[in-house]
Amino acid sequence: MPWYSFKEISARFDDVVLINTPAMDKVVERLAALQRYGFSVRQRRLLSAIYGRIINRRLAEIKPDIVLSIGASHKLIRIDPKWRLLHVSDGLFMTMVNYYEKFGRFRQAVLRTGHNDLQQFMCKVDLTLFASQWAHDSALTHYDLDPARARVDLFGANLDVDPGFRERQLDGPLTILFVGYDWERKGGDLVLATWRLLREATGDAELHIVGCKPAVAANIDGVTVHGRLRKSDPRDYAKLTHLYDRASMFFMPSRAEAFGMVFCEAAAYGIPSVAAITGGVPSVVIDNETGLLLDLGADARAYADRILDLWSDKVRFRAMSLAARRRFETHLNWNAWGEGVERGINDILSGVISPR
């Protein structure tokens, strides 16, 4: 279970038991490379049977009031249907397969098995909380789901400390921050091309790149490549915080993005985000309110024009910065997500949501 979601759940409920399957998880991780050949170990019936035996045995010992699954559908396909079950997802199997290019090599047998197993699992789920409207709507399209058993509950920013709101510097250079480990999928080339236009227009625009070290961005005046900064390292975390504090806008026009946790983090600092309309991003960034959203096919000139238009209007920029922070305070934090989970659990246990 992801740390921040586990931390939130543990703070809300007195008796939380985490079922770990480290040995099996290592096997799955090692065999994940086989995806490039169209093979997916997660969609193997033997794997789901092994997970099923391990988890059902633990559940029989624990006797929980409810089972909370966070992105663990492949482990719970064989779960005993007697348990009440709330599932959290940023996208079900067919949603992801039809969206991410890396799954395009999956063989038909893998697709059939994955789809059928997921449908079998969803028949045992009392309620699913989707991280975005996109994931929610796609699930209703691909699977036989009762709309009353599907809700949207946004994820939060992965921050240990709320940074609070600070006014952006408007009298210095336009400073663009990119944070992403996958330069190509996160739209890095488009970011660099856009920055060149911004630099030409302003004379001093800066670009800071975190999470990767693209060769095309090396040794360029005005571009600083920071590489990977680990939040677990105090020095790296302080550096990342400093970059967020200095940034004018956060820019990550991903080619594919199921959610985009970094947009939540930018909002926590009151930084308007600039992104492409794809996947779950429009649930996180609200166009012309908390940031700028452009069509997936938009080019560098289109991005540069909208960024410069916003940067030239200080009143509008300040309003967008404040709106981004408010969006974090009301929706894009783990406490807000936890409220949705707690509400869902209460609705299941109280009978508002009837048993499957």
Side-chain angles (χ1 to χ4, degrees):
M1 177 182 283
W3 164 244
Y4 289 95
S5 55
F6 179 67
K7 181 180 177 182
E8 177 62 31
I9 294 302
S10 297
R12 285 181 175 274
F13 300 96
D14 294 330
D15 192 7
V16 178
V17 179
L18 178 63
I19 298 180
N20 276 322
T21 53
M24 287 302 300
D25 294 347
K26 285 183 179 179
V27 172
V28 173
E29 185 178 346
R30 289 173 182 171
L31 296 177
L34 295 176
Q35 287 183 357
R36 71 184 68 176
Y37 305 110
F39 176 86
S40 175
V41 67
R42 289 191 178 197
Q43 276 64 58
R44 302 299 294 180
R45 298 282 168 79
L46 175 61
L47 181 76
S48 63
I50 295 173
Y51 271 128
R53 282 198 296 271
I54 295 171
I55 292 172
N56 281 325
R57 183 169 62 248
R58 288 289 288 126
L59 290 175
E61 296 168 355
I62 298 167
K63 296 181 176 58
D65 295 309
I66 193 165
V67 176
L68 173 62
S69 160
I70 301 184
S73 58
H74 66 289
K75 298 183 181 184
L76 297 176
I77 292 169
R78 304 291 182 90
I79 188 174
D80 189 323
K82 71 179 180 181
W83 304 113
R84 304 305 301 274
L85 177 58
L86 187 152
H87 182 55
V88 175
S89 174
D90 61 356
L92 299 185
F93 179 74
M94 290 307 294
T95 297
M96 296 304 202
V97 165
N98 290 332
Y99 182 62
Y100 281 104
E101 192 174 294
K102 65 180 180 179
F103 298 128
R105 298 187 183 90
F106 275 6
R107 299 171 185 176
Q108 286 301 311
V110 172
L111 295 176
R112 283 195 301 273
T113 300
H115 176 71
N116 293 336
D117 283 352
L118 201 286
Q119 184 66 64
Q120 176 185 335
F121 168 71
M122 295 305 293
C123 288
K124 303 175 183 179
V125 175
D126 293 285
L127 176 66
T128 301
L129 301 181
F130 291 98
S132 69
Q133 194 66 48
W134 166 78
H136 171 279
D137 295 348
S138 178
L140 294 182
T141 298
H142 291 295
Y143 293 94
D144 183 21
L145 301 184
D146 179 355
R149 297 183 183 275
R151 299 175 183 174
V152 176
D153 191 19
L154 305 180
F155 291 155
N158 287 341
L159 297 171
D160 290 320
V161 179
D162 182 347
F165 177 75
R166 297 183 187 178
E167 287 277 357
R168 298 292 100 189
Q169 282 290 108
L170 302 180
D171 54 355
L174 171 58
T175 304
I176 303 297
L177 177 62
F178 169 93
V179 180
Y181 67 92
D182 188 338
W183 177 254
E184 291 186 3
R185 182 172 68 81
K186 302 291 185 176
D189 287 335
L190 183 54
V191 170
L192 187 58
T194 302
W195 170 80
R196 292 185 189 278
L197 295 174
L198 297 175
R199 182 80 167 186
E200 181 181 330
T202 65
D204 60 357
E206 298 178 6
L207 171 61
H208 291 267
I209 299 171
V210 175
C212 56
K213 292 185 176 181
V216 294
N219 303 315
I220 300 176
D221 186 31
V223 177
T224 305
V225 179
H226 301 275
R228 183 181 179 186
L229 297 179
R230 295 178 293 274
K231 292 179 181 176
S232 58
D233 184 311
R235 290 184 179 180
D236 281 0
Y237 189 74
K239 187 174 183 179
L240 182 61
T241 298
H242 177 67
L243 290 171
Y244 272 119
D245 280 337
R246 288 193 62 242
S248 309
M249 300 183 202
F250 181 84
F251 187 16
M252 192 181 77
S254 297
R255 306 296 84 191
E257 196 72 62
F259 186 74
M261 215 76 77
V262 286
F263 296 122
C264 302
E265 296 176 10
Y269 286 86
I271 304 172
S273 288
V274 183
I277 300 173
T278 186
V281 176
S283 287
V284 190
V285 181
I286 311 301
D287 189 33
N288 281 321
E289 181 179 332
T290 68
L292 305 175
L293 292 180
L294 281 77
D295 290 336
L296 192 59
D299 61 11
R301 172 52 65 187
Y303 276 101
D305 287 347
R306 289 202 64 188
I307 290 172
L308 289 170
D309 182 60
L310 174 61
W311 185 242
S312 66
D313 188 339
K314 304 308 181 186
V315 173
R316 180 174 168 233
F317 181 88
R318 284 193 179 94
M320 190 173 288
S321 179
L322 281 167
R325 172 64 191 186
R326 286 195 215 99
R327 180 76 172 161
F328 162 75
E329 293 173 346
T330 58
H331 292 84
L332 305 179
N333 64 81
W334 286 108
N335 182 67
W337 173 83
E339 288 178 358
V341 173
E342 185 171 353
R343 185 163 49 250
I345 289 175
N346 289 338
D347 286 348
I348 292 172
L349 297 181
S350 67
V352 172
I353 296 177
S354 60
R356 298 295 309 214

